[in-house]
Amino acid sequence: MRRKKLHIKRATLLIGLCLCIELVNAQITINLPQANIQSGTDYDQRFSAGRFVSVLGLIPGFRVNANTPTFSNVTTGGIIPLYRANISLISVGSVSVLGAGQEQPLSTSPSTLYNAVATLLSGDITANARIPVSGFPWIAGVYSSNVTFSLSGVNLGTITPGSQNFNITVPGFISVQPSVGTTSILLNDLSYYRSAAGISANKVIAIGATVAYIPSVQAGSSQFSFATSLPYNTLPVAPVSAVSAGLASVPSATSAALSVNNQALTSAVGIQVSTNAQSLTNTYTIAPAALKSNFLQAGTYSVPLNYSWSKLASVYPAGSLQTQATGTLEVVVSDLTEIVASQQVINLDFNSVSDYTSGVIIDVPSHLRLSKTTPYNLTVRASSSTFTSSGNSIPLSVLRIGPAGGKTGMNTVTLSAAAQPIIVNANPEIDRNISLRYSIPASQTEHLMGVPSGSYSADIIFGVVAP
């Protein structure tokens, strides 16, 4: 009798040990692929739901329920609703029950996966989890619940383990196309040089992500390269710091001057995951003062850009995670020309003897406002061969046009019907104010003698032409 009792105790110990090992290893893990998250397509994964042991061949029904209200991430406090896992029964032992069962969204209430319609023998239980991906922001991490597969109806069977952990693993990723293309700032109107806002251009970049991240941008050079088919006097030198980079409609956004150093475009809180398919609008702005200082010469200014999106160090998974892409920023300056006269009528009046003996001079401050994005000559001519009044005439050559008193860098010319340069080969400029002097010197007043009194006039045309 003693030997028999000893044998029973050893057997009991062995069985207990086996059960303990099985319970420790009992868990279900669904690894949600990045591809499904990015495409928003449902994901199916089969898993072992335990083992069914039948007694007397009776026919049970199968049920499932969760023992927690959500899938939860104990580290971050994040959750996934239970109904995001839809469970169906595939087979029991060698018997397939596909088509005989029904899919059920996981909940805390037991839901029937299969009603007893056929004899099921003992064997492994295979189930399927379908995860509807679309319409939910998946944030990287491991989310856990505890589920129980149980029997219903008249049965004398068991399912082991009675309950097990159910994990959904969401991978951490940031996904961007390797090239985001060219962002073009088109300076095709002089109004940009005058606007308080300057000029901006946007680049929309599609990003897939399950982690919070900080976007940044880095210029590949400290200066823009320059190319043009138009004339220029000197090769322009434009620093990339003349352009400010930022993000539109992002609460944590910050702006920074472009640099060869990496410039973060948000504060340290970065951009959180509100949706897995995001569109970030990178903005590039040039203020009016920077436009006038650096982008006067018509042509194309370009610089390569390196973009990066870096995971916040504090979020899952551990370690660094960064995605990079390349692009180009170009500033395209068109060949723009404008000349505006502030005063349309200039009168030189001869009303006294001293006017004839000394001549007459009229200075017109800021008479012309000139803008040109390539080198230029400013010319002047008359549209007729003489000044005329009621059939009478005075030669054009009596009039001199040149710089107003105290002004330099211009020529004084004698008016004629042929265009003559007042300014020669000037550099590009925006809103240059030109003050002019109109004069009839004493040496020319003899041409006014003996002609009938009256107002003698001629149309004067200023032109901006290439040197």
Side-chain angles (χ1 to χ4, degrees):
M1 289 297 293
R2 291 180 180 176
R3 293 178 61 190
K4 183 176 182 181
K5 287 181 180 179
L6 180 61
H7 177 73
I8 291 172
K9 287 180 180 178
R10 289 176 178 172
T12 302
L13 179 61
L14 181 60
I15 292 170
L17 180 61
C18 291
L19 288 175
C20 179
I21 293 173
E22 183 176 15
L23 290 172
V24 168
N25 292 332
Q27 67 175 354
I28 301 160
T29 298
I30 305 299
N31 295 305
L32 197 57
Q34 176 179 334
N36 291 73
I37 295 174
Q38 289 192 253
S39 63
T41 54
D42 293 1
Y43 176 65
D44 287 89
Q45 182 178 318
R46 293 189 178 189
F47 62 91
S48 173
R51 182 172 180 79
F52 169 59
V53 178
S54 175
V55 179
L56 302 178
L58 296 179
I59 305 170
F62 286 80
R63 302 181 302 180
V64 67
N65 68 277
N67 301 309
T68 59
T70 60
F71 292 97
S72 61
N73 186 313
V74 295
T75 302
T76 65
I79 64 169
I80 296 174
L82 291 175
Y83 64 80
R84 283 287 162 178
N86 294 266
I87 311 301
S88 58
L89 201 62
I90 302 298
S91 63
V92 179
S94 61
V95 179
S96 172
V97 297
L98 282 172
Q102 53 187 323
E103 183 184 81
Q104 297 284 6
L106 191 60
S107 73
T108 54
S109 300
S111 302
T112 299
L113 301 176
Y114 174 79
N115 284 313
V117 294
T119 300
L120 297 176
L121 301 178
S122 299
D124 293 331
I125 305 168
T126 301
N128 184 76
R130 181 179 64 86
I131 310 295
V133 173
S134 180
F136 183 76
W138 300 92
I139 300 175
V142 179
Y143 299 80
S144 300
S145 180
N146 185 269
V147 298
T148 297
F149 287 88
S150 60
L151 302 173
S152 63
V154 179
N155 68 84
L156 290 175
T158 59
I159 294 178
T160 54
S163 64
Q164 52 188 315
N165 289 330
F166 192 123
N167 304 316
I168 298 178
T169 300
V170 181
F173 68 84
I174 306 169
S175 178
V176 183
Q177 290 294 321
S179 175
V180 301
T182 299
T183 306
S184 297
I185 300 177
L186 303 178
L187 273 165
N188 52 15
D189 195 292
L190 291 169
S191 62
Y192 294 120
Y193 292 95
R194 300 162 182 157
S195 168
I199 190 171
S200 296
N202 297 331
K203 169 60 69 173
V204 178
I205 302 175
I207 299 173
T210 56
V211 296
Y213 59 88
I214 294 177
S216 58
V217 66
Q218 180 181 20
S221 173
S222 61
Q223 295 178 350
F224 285 90
S225 62
F226 178 76
T228 186
S229 59
L230 298 167
Y232 62 89
N233 287 337
T234 57
L235 193 67
V237 177
V240 296
S241 58
V243 180
S244 175
L247 294 173
S249 303
V250 174
S252 60
T254 58
S255 61
L258 277 181
S259 169
V260 292
N261 299 315
N262 208 35
Q263 300 295 315
L265 300 180
T266 68
S267 65
V269 301
I271 296 176
Q272 303 300 309
V273 180
S274 58
T275 176
N276 298 119
Q278 302 176 348
S279 291
L280 284 187
T281 301
N282 285 58
T283 64
Y284 299 94
T285 303
I286 309 175
L291 287 175
K292 292 179 181 179
S293 299
N294 303 287
F295 301 100
L296 289 180
Q297 172 65 50
T300 300
Y301 304 73
S302 61
V303 66
L305 296 179
N306 299 310
Y307 296 86
S308 60
W309 299 266
S310 302
K311 179 187 74 70
L312 267 62
S314 59
V315 303
Y316 176 93
S320 61
L321 175 62
Q322 185 184 78
T323 296
Q324 295 182 316
T326 59
T328 301
L329 175 66
E330 65 177 20
V331 181
V332 182
V333 183
S334 298
D335 187 0
L336 304 173
T337 306
E338 181 184 79
I339 184 169
V340 178
S342 62
Q343 187 173 331
Q344 300 299 313
V345 178
I346 308 296
N347 292 318
L348 283 84
D349 297 326
F350 285 79
N351 297 317
S352 66
V353 173
S354 64
D355 291 335
Y356 287 91
T357 58
S358 302
V360 173
I361 295 173
I362 296 293
D363 280 350
V364 184
S366 301
H367 183 35
L368 302 178
R369 188 186 71 199
L370 189 153
S371 298
K372 190 76 171 80
T373 57
T374 54
Y376 65 90
N377 289 350
L378 174 64
T379 63
V380 63
R381 67 180 177 86
S383 62
S384 57
S385 58
T386 61
F387 292 99
T388 60
S389 174
S390 301
N392 300 305
S393 66
I394 296 173
L396 294 175
S397 59
V398 300
L399 183 65
R400 306 289 188 267
I401 301 176
K407 304 298 180 181
T408 59
M410 291 185 285
N411 301 322
T412 296
V413 301
T414 299
L415 184 63
S416 74
Q420 299 180 78
I422 297 177
I423 297 174
V424 177
N425 198 24
N427 290 323
E429 199 157 1
I430 302 297
D431 294 336
R432 176 180 179 179
N433 288 314
I434 300 173
S435 299
L436 293 179
R437 169 171 289 181
Y438 295 84
S439 64
I440 297 177
S443 62
Q444 297 298 315
T445 58
E446 64 183 75
H447 297 289
L448 308 182
M449 303 293 187
V451 297
S453 64
S455 295
Y456 291 78
S457 63
D459 290 333
I460 296 176
I461 300 173
F462 292 95
V464 180
V465 298

